[in-house]
Amino acid sequence: MNRKLSIPILGQGDPNRPKDVHLVGRYALGIDWSDGHGSIYPFEHLRAACPCGACAEGVAPPPVQPREIQRLDGALRIMWADGHESLMPYAELRAGCRCAGCTGVH
Ligand SMILES: [Zn+2]
Ligand SMILES: [Zn+2]
């Protein structure tokens, strides 16, 4: 299933596993990762980053709030208020972290 070589290193957190998922204000989602890193994703960015085929067509999604957020085993499932559903793999969310530490901007 997972084509990337992945050997768990016991005793420290998996950087791609969320420890805590929570809302940040009214417009963003925060994820605290198992290795202690914290990421914040504005809903607008999450919606625009939806990896599904329909969204890849290039139509800009309307700004919309999530209606329901569910933590699955390897991905976050977001049901949007407009009825669209996004499945965001944790590894991609982590790779998309825009904090100063991850983007190298100081
Ligand atoms: Zn989509
Ligand atoms: Zn980061």
Side-chain angles (χ1 to χ4, degrees):
M1 270 174 60
N2 196 347
R3 279 168 288 123
K4 258 196 272 173
L5 179 64
S6 177
I7 300 169
I9 298 169
L10 303 182
Q12 70 180 26
D14 177 347
N16 291 332
R17 201 146 267 282
K19 192 174 62 186
D20 184 58
V21 179
H22 54 271
L23 299 178
V24 180
R26 295 179 55 200
Y27 301 104
L29 184 76
I31 299 181
D32 289 332
W33 302 96
S34 296
D35 64 349
H37 194 75
S39 304
I40 291 177
Y41 305 94
F43 294 146
E44 213 183 316
H45 292 180
L46 282 176
R47 184 63 183 82
C50 178
C52 86
C55 292
E57 296 286 297
V59 183
V64 69
Q65 297 275 113
R67 192 175 61 194
E68 190 181 292
I69 296 170
Q70 186 184 14
R71 282 178 68 166
L72 302 176
D73 225 18
L76 202 65
R77 179 174 159 275
I78 303 176
M79 282 293 297
W80 299 97
D82 63 356
H84 194 76
E85 184 182 325
S86 299
L87 212 58
M88 312 272 191
Y90 294 132
E92 275 179 36
L93 283 170
R94 180 62 195 261
C97 179
R98 295 182 176 207
C99 80
C102 291
T103 56
V105 180
H106 294 285

